[in-house]
Amino acid sequence: MANTQKAMMIVDKHYKTGKVDPRLYGSFIEHLGRAVYEGIYEPDHPKADVRGFRKDVLELVCELNVPIVRYPGGNFVSGYNWEDGIGPVEERPSRLELAWRVIETNEVGLNEFCEWANKVNTEVMMAVNLGTRGIQDAKNILEYCNHPGGTYWSDLRKKHGYRDPYNIKVWCLGNEMDGPWQIGHKTAEEYGRIAYETAKVMKWVDPEIELVACGSSSSKMPTFPEWEATVLEHTYDYVDYLSLHIYYGNQDNDTPNFLANSLDMDEFIKTVISTCDYVKAKKRSKKKINLSFDEWNVWYHSNEADSKLEPWSIAPHQLEDIYNLEDALLIGCMLITLLKHADRVKIGCLAQLVNVIAPIMTEKGGLAWRQTIYYPFMHASNYGRGTVLNPIIDAPKYDTKDYMDVPIIEAIAVENDDKDELTIFAVNRDMEDGVDLECTIAGYEGYKIKEHIVLDGDDVKASNTLENPNRIVPRNLSNAQIDGEMLFVNLPRLSWNVIRLTK
Ligand code: AHR
């Protein structure tokens, strides 16, 4: 018979971590696999709009309420000629794309992507190629995108039919330049120098932009965190954010250990914050560098299938992880971890958005559906805006292969002043038992329960598929109760919970 565990949490209206930057709920579209072609863009699809964008995908993206989308890569950007993707489509070249060993047709380029971004009400976060290219090309693409007119590149944009500048605000200085797999991989010194010179020139072209320097491509890299320190020594005065990337997998089929990976993410963030502040102190600088966690997700299900792909096809099924319930629970824990650091992590990009390690999947010519990980992201993006409150949590703990003292409960609270709402996000990692959570909500007397949404299920390995797209969907529970400044709620075993309170 299942037992019930007990946990305590204290949330106080006055104990604030900081405001959530809405860009924490960003995502990522790379020219990779079927993210663009057959993903956001499929002109022959019955639901395509006049520009060839799938309206069913547009709707699902809008539901996620994604405020910023990184583009066009990823590893792809390190070999990309952005000029291949502008001008008349019939004149655009097909190229060997070396990062993913496919053929890129360039049917979609930056103008089409900006049109798509406009349709889903999102900002573009543009990456420049610092693998095979450098200062001049970064300057040119910025001039094409952001300069009002009267120069070669800005007038070319107008000639292409896009009169107004895009005023793209956030720009990434390359991608994962610390990784030997990257086209044009660099040492920290080499990257620090080119990133500094590129940043300097880009800010001369448009002083309003914000720049993201590449941090390590994961905390497991042998050069981490020395890479961060060296890169910032060079770039500190010209950049605004340092990037972090991480992907987790459950290759060993060890669910308790897998669900504890957000502790590693937490440690990663803390180390990067410390490194940024170390360089700040060394430089006697008043400026603070914030964090852009611009790639994070679960990624491992598709590795074997991808290793068997023949090279040089167009838009193959690449990185098409089919996510299960336990993946959604880890995504919930990772979202909570990002929120815990909302004072320093200003941008986050769930990598990626459609088909490629994505919350949204599509069938060519057919349906679009929501993966399990879609739901925690949608809930956090829609209800996790406002001010993060720093909670105190006392919960039973467990040890795993890689982690000690893993609390069975991961939780955070976000207050939305505009709507008089307080939302608690919580994951119960316990494999067997539900947890009775007693939560003090100091300063929220008179609040009532609006809803308690739960994502759980009888099988933690169950997935949504084309054939059964609603196998794992959220449901509403009604066991939560409030008495004065106390909230009592049962969190089912292995569950993601959203408890929405309102005045
Ligand atoms: O998101 C998939 C890939 O993961 C990206 O192209 C790269 O930046 C990272 O290694």
Side-chain angles (χ1 to χ4, degrees):
M1 207 183 76
N3 296 314
T4 306
Q5 307 249 33
K6 290 201 181 314
M8 286 188 29
M9 177 167 166
I10 302 172
V11 171
D12 189 312
K13 196 175 177 51
H14 301 101
Y15 200 9
K16 299 176 175 172
T17 297
K19 285 250 176 240
V20 181
D21 187 319
R23 297 173 304 174
L24 195 63
Y25 303 116
S27 190
F28 178 26
I29 288 279
E30 178 167 3
H31 278 257
L32 157 56
R34 301 188 307 129
V36 174
Y37 310 111
E38 288 181 29
I40 63 170
Y41 176 82
E42 193 180 331
D44 297 334
H45 191 277
K47 291 198 173 148
D49 68 9
V50 283
R51 302 294 287 135
F53 299 119
R54 280 183 65 154
K55 283 189 277 189
D56 52 350
V57 176
L58 290 172
E59 273 167 29
L60 290 180
V61 174
C62 287
E63 250 181 61
L64 286 179
N65 201 0
V66 182
I68 191 164
V69 178
R70 188 166 171 250
Y71 175 84
N75 297 340
F76 170 81
V77 80
S78 297
Y80 184 46
N81 293 340
W82 67 273
E83 305 90 325
D84 290 346
I86 56 173
V89 175
E90 57 287 358
E91 290 170 23
R92 296 184 193 173
S94 285
R95 300 268 190 204
L96 281 188
E97 199 290 282
L98 296 175
W100 302 102
R101 307 195 73 221
V102 294
I103 290 174
E104 170 58 51
T105 62
N106 287 303
E107 201 177 327
V108 170
L110 83 79
N111 289 311
E112 290 81 17
F113 185 73
C114 289
E115 278 185 55
W116 178 83
N118 201 24
K119 285 173 194 271
V120 291
N121 198 19
T122 198
E123 204 184 304
V124 174
M125 176 175 179
M126 188 69 83
V128 300
N129 175 352
L130 289 188
T132 58
R133 308 185 92 187
I135 306 168
Q136 184 70 11
D137 304 295
K139 180 225 139 233
N140 293 348
I141 185 176
L142 177 57
E143 185 183 319
Y144 184 92
C145 290
N146 284 14
H147 198 71
T151 65
Y152 176 78
W153 291 105
S154 56
D155 286 346
L156 188 60
R157 182 195 67 239
K158 291 184 177 187
K159 195 175 147 204
H160 291 156
Y162 302 91
R163 201 193 55 191
D164 297 328
Y166 294 118
N167 291 324
I168 294 173
K169 177 133 177 130
V170 187
W171 293 75
C172 303
L173 296 162
N175 175 70
E176 295 192 347
M177 300 309 303
D178 62 324
W181 59 86
Q182 203 67 214
I183 304 169
H185 164 225
K186 294 177 174 43
T187 64
E189 282 289 341
E190 288 165 348
Y191 173 68
R193 285 289 305 134
I194 186 79
Y196 166 73
E197 292 297 342
T198 307
K200 192 174 79 183
V201 168
M202 288 178 81
K203 287 222 167 160
W204 286 347
V205 173
D206 183 353
E208 300 300 312
I209 59 171
E210 294 185 328
L211 293 172
V212 186
C214 290
S216 296
S217 35
S218 95
S219 53
K220 309 291 175 283
M221 295 299 287
T223 45
F224 174 76
E226 194 54 41
W227 171 276
E228 278 70 5
T230 308
V231 167
L232 284 181
E233 296 267 358
H234 286 286
T235 59
Y236 204 91
D237 293 338
Y238 280 99
V239 304
D240 304 280
Y241 306 95
L242 191 63
S243 75
L244 297 84
H245 292 179
I246 202 85
Y247 296 98
Y248 296 110
N250 190 7
Q251 289 88 348
D252 302 335
N253 193 18
D254 179 346
T255 301
N257 192 55
F258 174 67
L259 293 180
N261 276 317
S262 56
L263 274 64
D264 177 71
M265 185 189 203
D266 188 64
E267 202 56 41
F268 186 18
I269 293 172
K270 285 180 184 151
T271 308
V272 175
I273 292 172
S274 306
T275 311
C276 291
D277 293 347
Y278 158 76
V279 181
K280 176 176 189 265
K282 204 169 161 190
K283 288 191 174 281
R284 315 289 192 256
S285 176
K286 291 198 164 45
K287 177 179 170 185
K288 190 159 52 170
I289 299 288
N290 284 318
L291 276 51
S292 170
F293 215 126
D294 47 43
E295 286 188 34
W296 65 273
N297 204 344
V298 171
W299 173 14
Y300 76 105
H301 297 282
S302 58
N303 292 166
E304 202 186 321
D306 288 344
S307 68
K308 295 182 185 140
L309 276 177
E310 287 295 323
W312 317 131
S313 59
I314 296 172
H317 289 245
Q318 260 173 321
L319 279 66
E320 298 206 359
D321 276 41
I322 297 301
Y323 293 113
N324 57 29
L325 174 59
E326 70 181 12
D327 297 327
L329 299 182
L330 180 61
I331 293 302
C333 292
M334 292 173 87
L335 283 160
I336 291 169
T337 306
L338 289 171
L339 283 167
K340 278 186 191 168
H341 294 284
D343 55 331
R344 289 302 286 273
V345 184
K346 299 293 173 187
I347 302 174
C349 300
L350 175 68
Q352 299 191 9
L353 187 56
V354 184
N355 286 331
V356 170
I357 42 174
I360 299 168
M361 295 300 291
T362 69
E363 178 194 17
K364 183 180 161 74
L367 287 177
W369 80 97
R370 302 169 184 84
Q371 295 236 50
T372 58
I373 64 168
Y374 184 95
Y375 295 107
F377 188 84
M378 178 186 77
H379 295 146
S381 174
N382 282 290
Y383 307 131
R385 305 211 182 191
T387 303
V388 177
L389 304 176
N390 192 352
I392 293 169
I393 298 171
D394 186 8
K397 297 193 165 83
Y398 65 92
D399 293 340
T400 70
K401 180 168 74 65
D402 298 323
Y403 303 99
M404 298 264 291
D405 290 333
V406 183
I408 58 170
I409 297 297
E410 197 66 72
I412 196 80
V414 183
E415 181 192 270
N416 187 327
D417 316 317
D418 302 341
K419 294 183 179 161
D420 282 331
E421 261 191 37
L422 176 70
T423 303
I424 295 170
F425 299 104
V427 172
N428 177 4
R429 293 186 173 106
D430 200 282
M431 298 287 289
E432 309 294 335
D433 300 329
V435 173
D436 281 335
L437 179 69
E438 269 187 34
C439 183
T440 306
I441 43 170
Y444 296 97
E445 178 134 32
Y447 274 58
K448 297 178 186 60
I449 292 153
K450 188 166 184 179
E451 61 177 339
H452 174 191
I453 310 167
V454 178
L455 189 73
D456 65 348
D458 50 0
D459 180 3
V460 81
K461 301 290 183 185
S463 301
N464 296 337
T465 59
L466 179 61
E467 296 72 33
N468 192 359
N470 295 320
R471 170 75 177 82
I472 301 289
V473 291
R475 63 190 177 115
N476 275 76
L477 278 188
S478 53
N479 71 51
Q481 285 175 8
I482 289 192
D483 183 2
E485 292 191 339
M486 290 302 296
L487 163 73
F488 304 92
V489 59
N490 181 269
L491 313 176
R493 72 161 203 131
L494 292 172
S495 63
W496 158 255
N497 299 264
V498 184
I499 303 137
R500 297 177 65 205
L501 312 180
T502 189
K503 239 185 191 165

